[in-house]
Amino acid sequence: MQKTSTRTIVEAGLMVAVFSVICLISNYVPFLSMLVLIFPIPFIIMYVRHNAAVMIMTLAVSSVVGSMVTQNFIWIILLFISGPMAFSIGFLMKRKSSTTMIMLVTSMVAALGTTLFFQVALKFFPVPGSPSTVMGLFQTIFDQSGEMIKAMNLPNTDKMLASQAAAMELMRIAMPALFVMSGFIFTLVNVLVTYKIFDRLRIPYQKPQPFSEFFIPNEMMLGITVVFSLVLGVGLLKILDVQMVFVNIISLFIYLFTIQGVATAYGWLLQKGYKKGMAVGLLVMIFVFNLTYGLALLGWLDLLFDFRKIRKRKTEE
C-alpha cells in the first residue's frame, strides 16, 4: 500500500513538473505559446492511471506552481478549460466510451469553459476602453481597425468599413458556433496527442475506429434536427432571436457534415490506393482552395445514401 501511494505521489509530482515546463516554454518562447493547447494531457494521464481525486490534487498543485513560474495569467486556463476537459476525457476513457462520444461531450465542455474563462478574465483584467464582455472586446478591436482604415484614406474606405461592419455582425450572431468549433479543435488536439502518449506508455484505452469510417451518429443528427425544428417554432412565436439561433445551428450542421465529408473523401482515397500522406495532402489542398462546402455536401449525401456502407455493415453485425 505504501509503495503504491509513493508511486502515485511521484507520478503526480512528475506531471506537475511537466506542466511547469510547458508553462515556461509557452511563456518565454513566443512561437511555442500554442503549447497551451496540450495543458490537459498531464491530468488526463493521472485520471486514467489512477482516479479523479489524484487528478484534482495534481491540478490544484499545478495551479499553484503555475502561478509562481509564469509572469502572466495563462495558468488560470487550468481552472476553467484544461481541468474540466481533462476530467471529461479521463472519465469517458475510463468508461471505455467511443471517441465520438469523447469528442462530443468534451467539445461542449471546452466551449463552455472558454466562454467562462474570457468572461472572468475580462471582468478582473479588463482591456482599457473596452466593455468587460467578449463581444465588447471584439467590438473595440473592430472599431480601432475602422479608425485605422479611415486614417489611411484609401479609395475604397466606405466599402471596407461596410465589409467590416458585416463581419462584426456575423461574429455577433455566430459566436456560440465559433466557440463550439474552437472547443472541438481543442479537444481533437488533446485526444490525438493523448492516444499517442498512451501508445508509447502502453496504457490501455479504447482504441478509436479509423477516421475513414467516421459516421455521425443518428442520435446526434436527430437531436440537432429536433432543436432546429423547435427554434423555427419559437421563432414564429417571436420568443427569441431566431436569426442568431438559426445561424448557429446551420453552422454546426455544416461543421458536422464537413467532418463526415472529409472522412468519406479520405476513405475513398485510401480505397483507390493512395498512401495516407498523399490522401491527407489532397484534403489539405481542398481546404487551401476553399472547397470545404463541397466536402460538407459530400458528408450530407453520405449521411443520406451511406456511400461507404457503414450503416449496412452495422446492421448485418
Side-chain angles (χ1 to χ4, degrees), residues 299-312:
W300 177 69
L301 292 174
D302 183 55
L303 193 68
L304 291 178
F305 300 107
D306 193 20
F307 295 137
R308 294 169 292 170
K309 310 301 180 185
I310 294 177
R311 281 201 304 263
K312 181 180 178 181

Side-chain angles (χ1 to χ4, degrees), residues 278-317:
M278 180 64 72
V280 172
L282 290 174
L283 290 175
V284 170
M285 291 301 295
I286 290 175
F287 281 98
V288 168
F289 288 102
N290 198 24
L291 300 176
T292 52
Y293 285 110
L295 289 174
L297 177 61
L298 176 61
W300 177 69
L301 292 174
D302 183 55
L303 193 68
L304 291 178
F305 300 107
D306 193 20
F307 295 137
R308 294 169 292 170
K309 310 301 180 185
I310 294 177
R311 281 201 304 263
K312 181 180 178 181
R313 291 203 304 267
K314 289 183 177 179
T315 302
E316 292 175 351
E317 293 174 358

Side-chain angles (χ1 to χ4, degrees), residues 162-205:
S163 299
Q164 194 172 38
M168 181 60 206
E169 180 64 15
L170 180 61
M171 178 76 73
R172 182 189 70 81
I173 294 174
M175 180 62 72
L178 293 175
F179 271 117
V180 172
M181 293 176 188
S182 65
F184 176 85
I185 295 172
F186 200 178
T187 302
L188 179 63
V189 170
N190 282 277
V191 169
L192 292 179
V193 175
T194 298
Y195 284 164
K196 291 295 183 182
I197 292 175
F198 280 10
D199 287 336
R200 297 286 294 181
L201 298 178
R202 298 183 180 179
I203 299 175
Y205 64 94

Side-chain angles (χ1 to χ4, degrees), residues 14-310:
L14 179 61
M15 292 300 104
V16 173
V18 169
F19 170 75
S20 302
V21 171
I22 295 174
C23 278
L24 289 170
I25 293 175
S26 62
N27 192 37
Y28 292 105
V29 186
F31 66 89
L32 292 179
S33 59
M34 294 300 291
L35 286 175
V36 69
L37 289 174
I38 61 173
F39 271 5
I41 291 177
F43 312 109
I44 298 172
I45 294 174
M46 294 309 295
Y47 195 131
V48 174
R49 280 186 58 82
H50 301 285
N51 52 50
V54 173
M55 189 217 81
I56 293 173
M57 178 193 70
T58 308
L59 182 70
V61 175
S62 298
S63 298
V64 175
V65 174
S67 66
M68 295 188 294
V69 301
T70 59
Q71 297 176 353
N72 52 33
F73 300 97
I74 198 171
W75 59 273
I76 301 179
I77 292 176
L78 280 182
L79 304 179
F80 296 101
I81 307 176
S82 301
M85 284 182 63
F87 185 90
S88 174
I89 294 174
F91 175 78
L92 293 171
M93 278 188 171
K94 294 203 77 167
R95 290 177 59 89
K96 299 187 182 303
S97 299
S98 66
T99 303
T100 302
M101 181 59 66
I102 293 173
M103 293 297 303
L104 176 63
V105 174
T106 309
S107 295
M108 299 306 297
V109 170
L112 293 173
T114 302
T115 305
L116 183 60
F117 168 76
F118 277 112
Q119 292 292 350
V120 172
L122 290 172
K123 187 69 174 178
F124 289 96
F125 313 105
V127 177
S130 172
S132 299
T133 61
V134 177
M135 286 309 305
L137 176 61
F138 279 109
Q139 184 65 61
T140 301
I141 294 173
F142 273 85
D143 289 343
Q144 292 178 354
S145 177
E147 293 299 325
M148 293 176 61
I149 292 174
K150 292 179 181 178
M152 288 188 290
N153 197 22
L154 298 173
N156 296 323
T157 298
D158 292 340
K159 292 183 178 179
M160 294 175 66
L161 291 175
S163 299
Q164 194 172 38
M168 181 60 206
E169 180 64 15
L170 180 61
M171 178 76 73
R172 182 189 70 81
I173 294 174
M175 180 62 72
L178 293 175
F179 271 117
V180 172
M181 293 176 188
S182 65
F184 176 85
I185 295 172
F186 200 178
T187 302
L188 179 63
V189 170
N190 282 277
V191 169
L192 292 179
V193 175
T194 298
Y195 284 164
K196 291 295 183 182
I197 292 175
F198 280 10
D199 287 336
R200 297 286 294 181
L201 298 178
R202 298 183 180 179
I203 299 175
Y205 64 94
Q206 183 75 19
K207 299 293 183 180
Q209 67 180 16
F211 178 66
S212 58
E213 296 188 6
F214 171 82
F215 199 86
I216 300 173
N218 293 333
E219 296 81 1
M220 185 189 305
M221 294 307 302
L222 178 62
I224 296 179
T225 303
V226 170
V227 173
F228 184 74
S229 302
L230 291 174
V231 168
L232 290 179
V234 297
L236 294 175
L237 298 175
K238 302 185 183 303
I239 297 175
L240 49 73
D241 184 356
V242 66
Q243 181 186 22
M244 181 175 181
V245 182
F246 183 83
V247 169
N248 281 280
I249 292 179
I250 289 294
S251 299
L252 292 177
F253 260 120
I254 293 174
Y255 195 58
L256 287 172
F257 290 146
T258 301
I259 295 172
Q260 179 148 331
V262 172
T264 304
Y266 181 67
W268 279 353
L269 290 172
L270 293 183
Q271 290 177 4
K272 294 295 183 180
Y274 288 91
K275 300 294 184 181
K276 289 185 178 179
M278 180 64 72
V280 172
L282 290 174
L283 290 175
V284 170
M285 291 301 295
I286 290 175
F287 281 98
V288 168
F289 288 102
N290 198 24
L291 300 176
T292 52
Y293 285 110
L295 289 174
L297 177 61
L298 176 61
W300 177 69
L301 292 174
D302 183 55
L303 193 68
L304 291 178
F305 300 107
D306 193 20
F307 295 137
R308 294 169 292 170
K309 310 301 180 185
I310 294 177

